[in-house]
Every structure is written in C-alpha cells, then in structure tokens.
Amino acid sequence: MRVTEEELGRWGERIGASTEPPLTLALVGPLGAGKSVLARAIGRGAGVVDVMPSPSYNILFRYAAGLEHEVVHLDLYRVASVDELWELGWSALGAATEIVLIEWPERAEGAMPYDYWVVELSLVEGEPSLRDVSVERVGAPPELAGFPVALS
C-alpha cells in the first residue's frame, strides 16, 4: 500500500486509539522511512501528551498513555548484540498495559515475543512524500486497526 506521511500518521493515531494492550509492533525500514513518525502517531492516539523524540541515543523511552496504559518506544539501531537487550529490561516488555513499538527489530532476532505485528515501511524512489507500507502478523497478536484501504 502506498501512503503519504499524513495518511501514515492518521493510521498510527487509529492504532493507538483503538488498541487494547498488550500490543507489540516491529517497525521495519531504512533511515527516513517513517518509523518514528508512525510511532509518534500511535503514541498520540493512545493518549501520550509528552513529546516523543526518537530513542536512537537513549534506546528506550516510556510514556504514560492515559490513566491505564503505557507506550514503550525502542530504537535498537545501536544495539550490537541480543545480549544487550536484557539490560534494557527486555524480558519485562509486553506487560498487559503496554503498547511496545520497536524500531530496528532485526537487532532482536531470536528474542522477539511470540505475538506481534511487523509494519514495514519503505521509501518510494522519486516520490519523497510517499511510503510503501506492508503489514504482517506474527503469531496471534491482538487486532490492528486497518487503514482506510486494506494493507497487504
């Protein structure tokens, strides 16, 4: 599915507003593809009012989302090995109240939870305002809000 950044943001807000945690999303794509844009939109939809900077240097940020939920945003780009994940509290992620958003999830190969969604974003050559988006279910995660038109 090809979308604009604005459409990607609206979809992210729908996901955040309609999701009942626990939910884990693996956000895949090259630098500049919109992973953080989508993560911020999901956070807004879930009720996060704080600014959500990219966690590239801090690796993990937690945000209150309303009174009962929390959004956990991770960027694993700088993680050198799966062993480093345990220092981040990896084994405790995915609590019943959490929406977990993982950028660069391939760095967690072999340690991802059983049930999650993979959202792959890619740049469209010659169209800097467009992104190609594909969605894949791994295991049995909770339902994910659909885009106005079906995502493959």
Side-chain angles (χ1 to χ4, degrees), residues 67-121:
L67 298 175
E68 300 176 13
H69 302 315
E70 187 172 38
V71 172
V72 182
H73 186 192
L74 297 99
D75 184 327
L76 304 182
Y77 185 77
R78 295 178 54 228
V79 171
S81 74
V82 173
D83 293 336
E84 291 179 33
L85 297 174
W86 308 117
E87 295 173 25
L88 299 171
W90 186 262
S91 61
L93 288 176
T97 60
E98 292 178 341
I99 297 173
V100 180
L101 309 171
I102 305 169
E103 296 186 38
W104 302 97
E106 55 274 20
R107 307 287 173 126
E109 189 172 329
M112 288 295 288
Y114 294 114
D115 305 315
Y116 62 98
W117 288 96
V118 177
V119 178
E120 187 166 353
L121 304 165

Side-chain angles (χ1 to χ4, degrees), residues 52-68:
M52 290 180 66
S54 173
S56 294
Y57 296 102
N58 296 67
I59 301 177
L60 183 147
F61 285 127
R62 291 180 174 275
Y63 303 95
L67 298 175
E68 300 176 13

Side-chain angles (χ1 to χ4, degrees), residues 100-152:
V100 180
L101 309 171
I102 305 169
E103 296 186 38
W104 302 97
E106 55 274 20
R107 307 287 173 126
E109 189 172 329
M112 288 295 288
Y114 294 114
D115 305 315
Y116 62 98
W117 288 96
V118 177
V119 178
E120 187 166 353
L121 304 165
S122 59
L123 302 164
V124 176
E125 190 172 331
E127 295 287 341
S129 65
L130 295 178
R131 302 294 182 266
D132 281 328
V133 180
S134 65
V135 179
E136 177 186 351
R137 174 181 259 161
V138 176
E143 290 301 315
L144 190 64
F147 203 72
V149 287
L151 291 167
S152 59

Side-chain angles (χ1 to χ4, degrees), residues 7-62:
E7 290 169 325
L8 185 65
R10 284 197 308 262
W11 180 51
E13 288 178 4
R14 285 183 60 210
I15 292 170
S18 65
T19 296
E20 281 300 317
L23 173 69
T24 299
L25 292 170
L27 307 177
V28 177
L31 291 170
K35 297 179 300 291
S36 290
V37 168
L38 181 58
R40 285 185 199 100
I42 293 168
R44 278 192 311 275
V48 173
V49 295
D50 296 328
V51 173
M52 290 180 66
S54 173
S56 294
Y57 296 102
N58 296 67
I59 301 177
L60 183 147
F61 285 127
R62 291 180 174 275

